[in-house]
Amino acid sequence: MSFNTFLRHLREGCKNVFRNGWMSIASITSIVVSLFVLGVFILLVVNVNQLADEVDSQVEIKVYLNLDVNEQMRGKIQTEIGLMPEVSKITFISKEQGLKEFSESLGEDGKALLEGFDKDHNPLPDTLSVEVVEATTVAHVADKVTGLNESHPEKPIMKVKYGEGAVEKLFKITRAVRNIGFIFVIGLGIMSMFLISNTIRVTILARRREIGIMKLVGATNYFIRWPFFIEGALIGGIGSLTTVGLLLFGYDQLFKAFSGDITLGIVLLPLSDIWMYLSVLLLAIGILIGIWGSTVSIRKFLKV
């Protein structure tokens, strides 16, 4: 196809968008409504997944050492835990720091508690806070840490806690949230495709006489199809850009509203983290559906 021919098809495609006024508006509106619903759900799923990731990242293992464990043994246990490939970080919490944090958590009553114990009469043990690379391995790592007692006659580890039972339920919930969100996004995407393409089909159906005349006067299928191809892309692009603009503006206002009120405890992903991903995704979906709806719909009218 020559450049001049392409320009001709481009001009015809643009003219058709404006020439068919209300039908083009109906198609664009269909795209905006469908992609808006899809975009809202994508934003919801992305933020819920982010929240689930944050919850997973807060899962940690507490390793309580026996009161008689000396500094050398504590360092040895810490080194052995750190060598485990599943472990990402270890934080040592001394018994003094542990008592201070505990008393602070009790407020005013905690001050009296802190005064009642001196350095030599602290009932709390030294603690190792262990973070893992993958949250789902926390139970396995806890078992491995507990097993370290078997290699030391002194049995330096008093107790290992990681929220057994509650952690497994948490993982099930976060996994279900991700799976359900993914299924809904796919379902809405498919639904949007058929809704938009059907609207575009109605637009082309109203012009079957025009297509038939072009075919009878000798126009090739290729020549007839290209303006509709471009028209579908333009309708899809205009609808997508409108949707993206509405979603980004709405999300930005929502982010400002929630970020200004920390009492609600809702933390949304900043717009800068998602606008590119959302814009490219919705623009690609809109243009592809517009092209697909036009080319598939026109195929039956080319058989004259």
Side-chain angles (χ1 to χ4, degrees):
M1 180 174 60
S2 67
F3 182 70
N4 289 335
T5 304
F6 174 76
L7 286 180
R8 183 265 172 198
H9 293 325
L10 185 61
R11 283 195 302 270
E12 285 300 311
C14 292
K15 286 180 182 177
N16 287 340
V17 172
F18 294 99
R19 186 184 299 153
N20 298 290
W22 289 110
M23 295 304 294
S24 295
I25 291 174
S27 299
I28 292 171
T29 303
S30 172
I31 291 174
V32 171
V33 172
S34 301
L35 293 187
F36 187 85
V37 174
L38 178 62
V40 167
F41 208 86
I42 289 174
L43 289 172
L44 179 63
V45 169
V46 168
N47 278 281
V48 169
N49 279 338
Q50 172 67 15
L51 179 61
D53 288 339
E54 289 182 3
V55 171
D56 285 352
S57 67
Q58 293 173 7
V59 174
E60 59 182 13
I61 302 168
K62 294 290 186 182
V63 182
Y64 300 100
L65 304 177
N66 284 317
L67 295 175
D68 57 353
V69 170
N70 57 40
E71 186 175 344
Q72 183 180 0
M73 177 55 69
R74 188 261 299 168
K76 190 175 182 180
I77 290 296
Q78 186 170 347
T79 300
E80 290 179 0
I81 295 174
L83 290 174
M84 295 178 183
E86 302 91 346
V87 174
S88 62
K89 182 181 178 183
I90 303 176
T91 304
F92 171 64
I93 304 172
S94 67
K95 59 177 68 178
E96 292 79 19
Q97 183 182 349
L99 181 62
K100 183 179 179 181
E101 291 177 357
F102 179 64
S103 65
E104 288 175 352
S105 68
L106 297 177
E108 291 298 324
D109 296 333
K111 293 181 179 179
L113 176 68
L114 191 61
E115 293 172 357
F117 296 102
D118 57 31
K119 185 177 180 181
D120 298 325
H121 296 85
N122 188 339
L124 298 182
D126 288 335
T127 306
L128 297 175
S129 177
V130 181
E131 298 178 20
V132 294
V133 177
E134 179 59 47
T136 53
T137 64
V138 67
H140 174 65
V141 175
D143 289 339
K144 288 178 68 174
V145 172
T146 304
L148 293 177
N149 263 345
E150 303 302 321
S151 59
H152 298 283
E154 303 90 342
K155 307 295 183 185
I157 298 174
M158 178 172 62
K159 192 173 185 180
V160 177
K161 292 183 66 177
Y162 68 93
E164 185 177 1
V167 167
E168 284 79 5
K169 289 180 181 177
L170 175 65
F171 290 153
K172 286 182 180 178
I173 292 171
T174 54
R175 188 163 52 246
V177 166
R178 290 188 177 99
N179 292 338
I180 292 172
F182 180 75
I183 292 170
F184 265 92
V185 167
I186 295 297
L188 280 171
I190 294 172
M191 230 164 63
S192 299
M193 283 179 62
F194 282 102
L195 177 62
I196 295 168
S197 64
N198 283 336
T199 306
I200 294 174
R201 285 185 185 187
V202 172
T203 303
I204 294 177
L205 182 64
R207 296 158 61 189
R208 61 188 182 276
R209 181 181 177 85
E210 172 190 342
I211 298 169
I213 292 172
M214 292 175 68
K215 183 70 175 175
L216 289 172
V217 298
T220 64
N221 292 346
Y222 182 81
F223 188 86
I224 297 172
R225 186 181 285 117
W226 258 99
F228 286 96
F229 179 90
I230 292 172
E231 182 182 352
L234 287 172
I235 289 174
I238 293 170
S240 300
L241 288 174
T242 305
T243 306
V244 168
L246 291 172
L247 282 172
L248 295 184
F249 175 78
Y251 187 85
D252 184 54
Q253 297 304 308
L254 197 64
F255 179 81
K256 290 177 181 176
F258 280 119
S259 62
D261 190 354
I262 59 174
T263 59
L264 293 174
I266 299 175
V267 180
L268 298 176
L269 281 169
L271 187 62
S272 58
D273 288 354
I274 57 176
W275 76 270
M276 180 67 74
Y277 161 77
L278 183 69
S279 301
V280 172
L281 179 63
L282 293 184
L283 189 60
I285 290 175
I287 292 175
L288 288 175
I289 291 176
I291 293 171
W292 178 67
S294 295
T295 53
V296 170
S297 302
I298 199 175
R299 187 177 301 165
K300 59 186 293 186
F301 300 119
L302 295 177
K303 300 175 182 178
V304 178

